[in-house]
Amino acid sequence: MTLVVYSQVHKFLSSQVLSMSLLTIRLHNTLSRTKEVFTPIEPGKVSMYCCGPTVYDFAHIGNFRTFVFNDLLVRTLEYAGYEVTKVMNITDVGHLTSDADEGEDKILKKARMEKKDPFAIARFFEEAYVEDEQKLRIKPPAARPRATEWIKQQIIFVEQLIEKGFAYAVNGSVYFRTHKCGHYGKLSGNTLKDLDMGARIELNDEKEDPLDFVVWKAANENHLMQWDSPWGKGFPGWHLECSVMSTEILGERFDIHTGGEDLTFPHHECEIAQNYGCTGLENNINYWLHGRFLLLEGEKMSKSKGNFYTIRDLMEEGWKGTEIRYLLASGYYQSQFNFTRKGLEQARASIARLQEAVRVFSQIAGGNIQPSIFNIQYRERYQAALFDDINTPEALAVVFELVGEGMKRRDEGTLTEEEAAGIVQFLEQDFQAIFDVLDLEGGAIPEAINVLLQQREEARKNKDWAASDSLRDEIKALGYEVLDESGGQSLRKR
């Protein structure tokens, strides 16, 4: 299943966008530590894996800074004409409280504290995450695999690592021989030679080398999440899960892997090592993108410190999902970002100004829908900012410069209907395609859309996924986006 560019945006912008976009998108690759021209493995298509939430609690705004960035990246690539397949996993087992293969599973710890079944805990917080994702208008991924549903494939992956000499079993656990991967540390800069083992790695007598990491963990009889394996009852390691789900769904080689900067080491470093052990490819993923930390009122946010907010906390205070999204999207993902109440107030004011601009310029334009050359220079600068490593602050600066110039010319009486229509088109199409924070007037859903929705619901009941995808694309071509939710389908006008 793939996510495709909005047809109505694509049709209007193709002459301005596609002639340059495929050559000029540049992304900061953590692996090379430089901005590189983006070249997908398959022309015109992008395969992308995003590390998703560990579902033991509500995701906080620091998590959502990364998830919003993922969405901005997908939308920018689609805006440029690519078809994007985004996969985001659900970690519902195996994420321990320590990076050193020690500690309690985070979901089991939550289940013990609340005296509930760990699988029920995982499902509850997974549904909560999806609800929060929708409140921030994050487009759903093409696939959302759960680690617990890929146990068979993970066991096969471990067997291959053992067969190739990259892993070994001890007392029911399986460890990866880190020194077999000579380029381990290339992503994070923590080379095998320079790693301070005493600082980051607790000694474990089962390991051949202190740097070896677990890929399958033995479980005692009291461990509530465990599966049979050739090495005894156990559960998968956190790093293993992402290696297996990403390559099983997207293939041995794919374009982009994203995550927060805290995942660079050891999580993503271990993924690369495991992938190498199974595929023999030193770099099976071409671009690694990592978002920087989010600060809260100038301080590093941490659940252990208790200084964090969830989306629900903020919405209970009266903030809208679009306002939270705007603030998170307004910072350049490669820079630390300070999340403040003042910033939320500014986000609210900015959205209100843009909403008013749509109203004002729509009135001036009347029924005029003819494209105007007035905003072409702004569109080109807007695209240039986005295509230069998703530079959203610069893109927003262009948006408000255009609106300001339009208001100035309106006050002077020199703004034409065609020029006003051009600004409206820019805000409703170019701006919304990426930032998606405006509430545009919709009206009743056309009967043709309702018919297609009913047909898609039938296709989904019959598990005819090809027909379901085709109907969703038909609906999208008519200007609506279908969201698949736990309670069924919902519709949003684009």
Side-chain angles (χ1 to χ4, degrees):
M1 177 162 47
T2 59
L3 303 175
V4 298
V5 66
Y6 299 135
S7 59
Q8 62 180 19
V9 176
H10 180 277
K11 181 178 180 180
F12 178 74
L13 299 175
S14 59
S15 62
Q16 287 85 16
V17 178
L18 295 181
S19 62
M20 57 176 285
S21 63
L22 301 183
L23 300 176
T24 59
I25 289 182
R26 297 173 66 85
L27 300 173
H28 186 275
N29 192 346
T30 305
L31 196 62
S32 66
R33 293 165 180 75
T34 61
K35 272 196 266 188
E36 301 177 7
V37 173
F38 175 68
T39 305
I41 295 169
E42 183 177 354
K45 297 185 178 181
V46 180
S47 49
M48 175 177 167
Y49 185 86
C50 307
C51 275
T54 299
V55 285
Y56 70 101
D57 205 344
F58 297 111
H60 57 64
I61 55 174
N63 305 134
F64 271 103
R65 189 197 184 191
T66 299
F67 300 147
V68 168
F69 163 67
N70 294 339
D71 188 57
L72 295 169
L73 175 59
V74 168
R75 288 168 178 267
T76 298
L77 289 166
E78 290 181 336
Y79 176 64
Y82 291 100
E83 293 183 8
V84 182
T85 302
K86 171 188 170 183
V87 175
M88 174 178 276
N89 70 295
I90 295 292
T91 298
D92 56 355
V93 67
H95 192 169
L96 304 184
T97 54
S98 168
D99 285 347
D101 302 336
E102 303 296 335
E104 193 172 4
D105 185 296
K106 292 185 176 184
I107 294 172
L108 285 179
K109 182 178 179 180
K110 186 75 170 183
R112 178 174 51 77
M113 291 172 60
E114 298 195 3
K115 298 181 180 180
K116 294 181 180 178
D117 177 76
F119 291 96
I121 289 287
R123 293 294 84 76
F124 174 83
F125 286 112
E126 177 186 337
E127 291 178 5
Y129 166 77
V130 173
E131 290 173 1
D132 290 347
E133 184 182 69
Q134 292 172 352
K135 291 169 185 172
L136 268 62
R137 299 188 178 181
I138 295 172
K139 299 179 70 174
R144 205 190 298 272
R146 297 172 179 149
T148 54
E149 295 175 348
W150 293 76
I151 299 297
K152 178 181 178 181
Q153 293 88 341
Q154 291 174 74
I155 290 173
I156 292 172
F157 192 101
V158 174
E159 288 177 324
Q160 292 174 344
L161 288 176
I162 293 174
E163 181 182 342
K164 295 179 180 181
F166 280 91
Y168 57 94
V170 181
N171 298 328
S173 292
V174 180
Y175 297 94
F176 186 92
R177 290 187 172 97
T178 305
H179 277 277
K180 284 272 290 184
C181 180
H183 57 279
Y184 185 86
K186 185 177 180 180
L187 181 72
S188 63
N190 294 309
T191 63
L192 289 169
K193 181 179 179 180
D194 296 333
L195 272 172
D196 183 354
M197 293 181 291
R200 286 195 63 91
I201 308 294
E202 297 177 15
L203 293 179
N204 182 332
D205 292 339
E206 290 185 346
K207 296 181 181 181
E208 295 177 354
D209 187 289
L211 285 183
D212 294 349
F213 60 88
V214 71
V215 292
W216 183 267
K217 185 82 169 174
N220 60 43
E221 60 184 13
N222 297 321
H223 199 283
L224 298 178
M225 303 179 83
Q226 56 179 275
W227 292 264
D228 291 326
S229 80
W231 318 285
K233 290 184 178 296
F235 57 94
W238 176 37
H239 315 312
L240 172 69
E241 297 167 3
C242 284
S243 279
V244 172
M245 291 185 289
S246 63
T247 55
E248 284 284 331
I249 298 173
L250 295 174
E252 285 190 352
R253 295 182 65 235
F254 58 93
D255 295 304
I256 299 173
H257 196 313
T258 70
E261 66 176 323
D262 55 321
L263 299 185
T264 307
F265 184 87
H267 184 48
H268 290 163
E269 203 72 78
C270 293
E271 276 190 63
I272 291 173
Q274 292 167 158
N275 295 347
Y276 171 67
C278 256
T279 68
L281 299 170
E282 183 171 328
N283 297 314
N284 71 309
I285 302 161
N286 288 344
Y287 302 88
W288 289 84
L289 276 67
H290 293 91
R292 296 292 305 279
F293 285 126
L294 180 135
L295 303 177
L296 182 60
E297 302 290 350
E299 295 185 5
K300 183 178 177 181
M301 195 170 58
S302 168
K303 283 191 174 181
S304 61
K305 292 181 179 180
N307 65 332
F308 68 94
Y309 289 106
T310 67
I311 302 303
R312 290 152 194 255
D313 293 332
L314 294 170
M315 295 191 78
E316 285 177 5
E317 294 180 7
W319 302 105
K320 296 180 180 179
T322 50
E323 294 162 350
I324 301 168
R325 175 184 173 87
Y326 183 97
L327 181 55
L328 292 174
S330 66
Y332 178 43
Y333 82 100
Q334 277 287 301
S335 300
Q336 282 191 340
F337 184 72
N338 191 23
F339 191 99
T340 66
R341 289 297 193 287
K342 183 177 180 181
L344 282 170
E345 293 170 359
Q346 292 171 340
R348 176 172 289 176
S350 295
I351 293 172
R353 186 182 180 197
L354 294 174
Q355 288 280 176
E356 177 66 5
V358 172
R359 186 190 68 81
V360 168
F361 295 125
S362 294
Q363 287 181 342
I364 296 172
N368 194 309
I369 59 173
Q370 296 301 314
S372 167
I373 64 171
F374 170 66
N375 60 324
I376 286 180
Q377 62 168 314
Y378 293 98
R379 178 179 289 117
E380 290 176 348
R381 289 168 53 203
Y382 177 77
Q383 293 167 0
L386 291 171
F387 297 165
D388 184 18
D389 199 30
I390 325 300
N391 191 335
T392 51
E394 182 62 31
L396 286 171
V398 174
V399 172
F400 282 98
E401 184 180 335
L402 171 61
V403 168
E405 177 64 18
M407 290 295 190
K408 176 175 174 290
R409 294 185 62 173
R410 178 205 63 168
D411 294 341
E412 295 172 345
T414 59
L415 188 69
T416 67
E417 290 183 4
E418 290 80 6
E419 291 168 343
I423 299 175
V424 173
Q425 289 170 334
F426 179 87
L427 292 174
E428 290 188 344
Q429 298 179 2
D430 301 70
F431 174 75
Q432 276 290 88
I434 306 301
F435 292 94
D436 197 9
V437 294
L438 300 180
D439 292 321
L440 305 177
E441 294 181 5
I445 299 174
E447 182 58 26
I449 300 295
N450 284 322
V451 171
L452 292 172
L453 275 175
Q454 292 172 4
Q455 292 176 353
R456 186 170 184 268
E457 184 63 25
E458 284 298 315
R460 287 171 59 78
K461 287 180 181 178
N462 296 329
K463 297 184 178 181
D464 187 347
W465 307 121
S468 173
D469 291 348
S470 177
L471 287 163
R472 183 180 62 181
D473 290 343
E474 284 187 50
I475 294 169
K476 183 175 289 186
L478 295 172
Y480 289 81
E481 182 178 5
V482 181
L483 300 178
D484 292 322
E485 303 172 346
S486 56
Q489 301 178 106
S490 67
L491 202 65
R492 187 168 75 206
K493 195 174 191 310
R494 298 307 311 168

